[in-house]
Amino acid sequence: MKPPLFRYHDPASVAEAVALLASTDNAKLLAGGQSLMPMLNMRLVLPDDLIDLNRIDTLAHVRENGDVLEIGAMTRQRELERSAVVRARCPLLTAAIEHVGHQQTRNRGTLGGSLCHLDPSAELVAAAMTLDAVVSVTGRGGERKIPFAQFPQSYMTPAIAPDELVIAVSLPLWGRGHGHAFLEFARRHGDFAVCAVAVMLEKNAAGAITRAAITVAGLDAAPVRVAAAERALLGQAPSEALFRAAAEHCRELDAVGDVHAPAAYRQHLAAVLAKRALAEAAARCH
Amino acid sequence: MTTETRSIAVTVNGMRHEREVEVRLTLADLLRHRLGLTGTHIGCEHGVCGACTVLCNGQSVRACLMLAVQADGKEVSTVEGLAPDAQHLHPLQQAFSSHHGLQCGFCTPGILMTLVEFLRENPAPTEAEVRVALSGNLCRCTGYQGIVAAALDAAQRMRAAGQA
């Protein structure tokens, strides 16, 4: 239960980190370390080079830029949790973070690290999927932006090349009157979700739903947007019957069972949590 | 691959230590094996149990999930630094004693350090808030009742003493 031997690098700039990635062929990037350090301690990863990003100050920031929230990849989860601008403009992210691990892990854990680790039940991954986040990565070939729908390639595998690193995440902001909800079921507070549901809703002056985003996490290899449920809500007035019908689409999602819960139970949780989350988000719309 | 080392300087409980360390050494092992501060316990070594919780620049962290080289230039606080002197306990330690907040004591150092940060940020917590704050620290003896009672009592003692 001790980390294996590796060469340690702690670059002070993104350019240095990119150069290191280009000159090594079995390197791991160390962000907050709340997933990679356990994997090193358990020898589940055996990198020849460890590139520690913690000295790169330019990667930690939260900026409201017009109708986009720009968050540096190395911004600590605890900083996001306490950020007034996140709470005011993107409360879904605040609500999701309150379920992420514990204060001791949020003090170190970063947004970029969680998105790249891409645990199927990770709350920040589910929030990024719901918010249509755009991930900025850079590498030898220059900078590019990845829409979050294309970010998970497969189980715990983000669409990042081995010589690239995530530098920032942009969250397009919804209108100030939008409603949000993030609900999850876990055995203990701070555990990864057995199932989590994130919802964003917008209504018009007449009370009809004009925009909806629903994500279910914990069922399969990566969280999924439930397009059928989103479509069922558009143009409708919020009601318990509408939410129940829309939420039933979550029961039809592919699911994988494991030691924590069988597939059918996860699908049931998805439908129940989606119905509750829709009602909660609708109540917050104004 | 050869063993790579670096020289670091870490301030622990107000005392500066300079050491040449392997780059793969964890902060928890630095404290215990290189500095002899065995009050910080190691339970799971993968960030689940919370026994190794210490403060790094005032923030609670899992010492098994940080490398010693990452603590270079930082201020670390451990359970050894809690009591003001050899005759007196910290109010949290007093409350744990009064309320039977420990049995075997293995998880206690991590819980105390977690609560130091928690009560600093939330000096008048509810019981529910205390339970959430403790969710990252596993205790297999007490059932948490005594720990929660001790945390709430310590909060009150620290408010009364103007320490929180």
Side-chain angles (χ1 to χ4, degrees):
Chain A
M1 293 297 285
K2 308 290 178 192
L5 288 173
F6 48 72
R7 286 182 290 269
Y8 177 76
H9 312 271
D10 52 348
S13 69
V14 171
E16 272 181 68
V18 168
L20 281 163
L21 279 172
S23 63
T24 51
D25 56 10
N26 179 29
K28 275 279 173 195
L29 294 165
L30 180 62
Q34 303 305 291
S35 301
L36 182 56
M37 282 297 297
M39 291 170 77
L40 286 168
N41 285 356
M42 292 190 275
R43 310 277 172 121
L44 294 172
V45 285
L46 299 167
D48 292 320
D49 295 87
L50 192 67
I51 304 172
D52 185 347
L53 303 175
N54 283 278
R55 278 182 63 215
I56 309 180
D57 296 334
T58 55
L59 288 180
H61 54 81
V62 181
R63 289 187 206 114
E64 187 179 350
N65 194 350
D67 49 6
V68 171
L69 201 59
E70 286 180 3
I71 302 175
M74 284 295 289
T75 308
R76 308 283 170 191
Q77 293 157 9
R78 180 71 177 151
E79 212 166 299
L80 293 174
E81 181 184 353
R82 300 168 70 141
S83 160
V85 59
V86 172
R87 190 174 292 271
R89 298 295 279 122
C90 192
L92 181 77
L93 189 61
T94 310
I97 285 176
E98 285 168 1
H99 294 278
V100 177
H102 312 283
Q103 182 157 338
Q104 302 100 319
T105 64
R106 294 194 298 268
N107 278 336
R108 295 287 300 166
T110 64
L111 176 63
S114 176
L115 297 187
C116 290
H117 185 61
L118 209 60
D119 188 283
S121 296
E123 292 85 358
L124 292 174
V125 177
M129 189 66 97
T130 313
L131 295 165
D132 296 308
V134 176
V135 182
S136 298
V137 303
T138 191
R140 224 180 331 192
E143 200 173 322
R144 66 189 179 105
K145 294 184 187 302
I146 309 171
F148 207 79
Q150 290 154 32
F151 192 71
Q153 283 199 316
S154 62
Y155 178 69
M156 297 182 88
T157 309
I160 310 170
D163 64 344
E164 288 180 322
L165 75 146
V166 172
I167 50 173
V169 179
S170 301
L171 302 174
L173 293 169
W174 286 45
R176 287 185 187 268
H178 81 268
H180 75 280
F182 191 99
L183 296 181
E184 79 169 41
F185 177 78
R187 293 287 299 276
R188 290 162 297 252
H189 187 274
D191 279 11
F192 279 113
V194 172
C195 177
V197 175
V199 167
M200 295 280 282
L201 287 180
E202 248 171 35
K203 288 191 295 191
N204 62 17
I209 294 168
T210 53
R211 196 177 168 198
I214 306 176
T215 301
V216 173
L219 265 55
D220 209 346
V224 287
R225 285 281 289 271
V226 194
E230 293 173 4
R231 272 197 307 274
L233 295 164
L234 292 183
Q236 307 292 313
S239 72
E240 206 202 324
L242 175 71
F243 293 154
R244 188 182 308 118
E248 279 306 306
H249 290 289
C250 301
R251 203 185 292 274
E252 296 153 14
L253 297 171
D254 288 338
V256 178
D258 67 8
V259 64
H260 301 293
Y265 180 63
R266 287 170 193 266
Q267 290 163 326
H268 176 69
L269 279 176
V272 170
L273 292 174
K275 193 185 90 167
R276 290 181 192 164
L278 284 166
E280 208 174 281
R284 288 194 176 119
C285 285
H286 60 271
Chain B
M1 195 179 296
T2 54
T3 300
E4 182 183 333
T5 64
R6 273 200 186 190
S7 49
I8 59 167
V10 186
T11 302
V12 184
N13 303 326
M15 192 185 284
R16 187 181 151 94
H17 301 270
E18 288 176 30
R19 291 289 185 282
E20 183 80 16
V21 299
E22 267 193 69
V23 293
R24 63 170 172 162
L25 185 76
T26 65
L27 174 58
D29 284 341
L30 171 79
L31 294 169
R32 289 178 57 83
H33 299 306
R34 300 296 303 279
L35 305 183
L37 295 169
T38 53
T40 299
H41 291 168
I42 295 179
C44 70
E45 284 190 306
H46 63 284
V48 173
C49 77
C52 68
T53 302
V54 300
L55 304 186
C56 183
N57 284 358
Q59 291 192 307
S60 63
V61 298
R62 311 271 207 221
C64 72
L65 299 188
M66 251 184 92
L67 295 169
V69 289
Q70 293 182 305
D72 184 28
K74 303 242 161 59
E75 304 238 355
V76 175
S77 307
T78 70
V79 70
E80 286 92 343
L82 271 190
D85 56 57
Q87 277 73 48
H88 300 91
L89 293 173
H90 184 278
L92 263 168
Q93 293 169 311
Q94 285 171 4
F96 269 66
S97 172
S98 313
H99 293 272
H100 202 60
L102 65 153
Q103 287 183 30
C104 84
F106 193 86
C107 66
T108 312
I111 289 182
L112 292 174
M113 300 317 289
T114 294
L115 290 174
V116 166
E117 179 193 45
F118 174 67
L119 294 181
R120 187 184 69 217
E121 294 181 352
N122 187 355
T126 63
E127 182 186 328
E129 288 168 340
V130 168
R131 288 187 182 274
V132 169
L134 288 170
S135 66
N137 292 86
L138 301 184
C139 170
R140 302 292 81 163
C141 305
T142 64
Y144 294 93
Q145 300 290 5
I147 298 175
V148 172
L152 291 168
D153 185 31
Q156 203 167 24
R157 292 187 201 204
M158 289 162 74
R159 284 200 306 276
Q163 260 186 283

